[in-house]
Amino acid sequence: MPEISRLSGYRDWIDLDFVERERTPEPAMALGIQSYVAGLSLSNTVELLASLGVDWSRKAIHDWVQKADLQPESAQSPNQVALDETVIRINDQQFWLYAAADLQTNDLLHVRVFSTTTTAITEIFLRELRQNHDVENAVFPVDGAQHLQTALQRAGLRFQMCRHGNRNAVEWIFRELKGRTSSFSNCFSHAEPKTAETWLQTFARWHNAAN
């Protein structure tokens, strides 16, 4: 089980507006969502809630995360933004997880999952990032990936080559994320890409609140 510290802290970041006629008390639902995203498996989350007198299935907890549809908070104004991508597997197929992180706070600003990685896909990601955050004056440290540089240049966003240093922040976040998904062996089984993406976006919201 993860360290208790991963499960502690406020849960105000969990918006339960989706709840209509759920029989489970909202504090228990919030604990279930936080525990699952913070590193507990669905089975262990069920056991945790059962110890508190809340009897729900693995599917119910999974559905809470999907229905809540939590996203990183918008309207941030970062000075430096790390943009990167990493490979994940969903049902034994390869997908690309795109993420943008504020280098001063290590907060995840935007997270998406795509079936491929191209300049056009990166442009879509950047367009969504700009819709959610003020990054017009931000600097994007990038590595040698040409499609990242080209997309940033087409978007009129400033970037600088940086193979080490500040870029380590987003790489650390990716390692942290893969550690949290170790119960999936970094692979989401029996899941649709959108389902995996929703979990990862919820992870981003939790990461920012716990950061």
Side-chain angles (χ1 to χ4, degrees):
M1 278 194 179
E3 298 173 2
I4 271 304
S5 61
R6 294 181 183 175
L7 309 181
S8 63
Y10 296 106
R11 300 185 184 97
D12 294 345
W13 59 274
I14 301 175
D15 184 355
L16 295 176
D17 285 347
F18 70 91
V19 176
E20 294 179 358
R21 292 183 295 276
E22 287 279 1
R23 291 180 288 119
T24 305
E26 290 191 7
M29 295 179 65
L31 176 61
I33 291 172
Q34 181 186 37
S35 300
Y36 180 39
V37 175
L40 285 186
S41 67
L42 281 172
S43 296
N44 285 337
T45 303
V46 168
E47 292 178 7
L48 173 64
L49 293 180
S51 71
L52 301 175
V54 180
D55 186 15
W56 275 110
S57 66
R58 292 162 31 124
K59 182 180 184 304
I61 297 167
H62 169 272
D63 289 347
W64 294 345
V65 173
Q66 295 299 310
K67 289 178 181 178
D69 194 22
L70 297 167
Q71 304 277 337
E73 289 187 321
S74 58
Q76 304 299 312
S77 300
N79 293 321
Q80 286 190 307
V81 178
L83 174 66
D84 212 340
E85 59 195 4
T86 191
V87 172
I88 62 172
R89 301 193 70 81
I90 303 174
N91 291 327
D92 292 327
Q93 291 185 337
Q94 186 169 274
F95 287 81
W96 276 262
L97 167 63
Y98 272 71
D102 183 332
L103 287 176
Q104 288 185 315
T105 64
N106 281 349
D107 281 356
L108 285 162
L109 301 170
H110 193 47
V111 175
R112 285 292 312 277
V113 172
F114 297 103
S115 60
T116 187
T117 176
T118 63
T119 300
I121 289 294
T122 308
E123 288 180 279
I124 291 172
F125 182 84
L126 288 173
R127 184 163 59 248
E128 294 174 350
L129 177 66
R130 296 173 87 170
Q131 289 170 350
N132 294 329
H133 303 283
D134 179 9
V135 296
E136 302 308 311
N137 295 318
V139 175
F140 290 73
V142 296
D143 59 14
Q146 188 60 51
H147 64 284
L148 297 181
Q149 297 178 41
T150 301
L152 287 163
Q153 188 172 35
R154 289 179 181 176
L157 296 170
R158 293 188 298 160
F159 65 91
Q160 59 184 204
M161 292 291 295
C162 182
R163 296 183 183 277
H164 303 288
N166 282 345
R167 282 187 51 80
N168 289 340
V170 73
E171 292 165 1
W172 175 85
I173 290 171
F174 278 146
R175 288 196 298 272
E176 184 78 358
L177 187 152
K178 289 184 176 182
R180 291 294 187 271
T181 60
S182 59
S183 57
F184 306 108
S185 299
N186 202 35
C187 176
F188 294 84
S189 300
H190 310 295
E192 296 295 325
K194 180 57 182 173
T195 300
E197 183 177 70
T198 298
W199 189 95
L200 290 162
Q201 289 166 344
T202 303
F203 168 87
R205 183 69 174 267
W206 169 81
H207 167 84
N208 296 349
N211 191 12

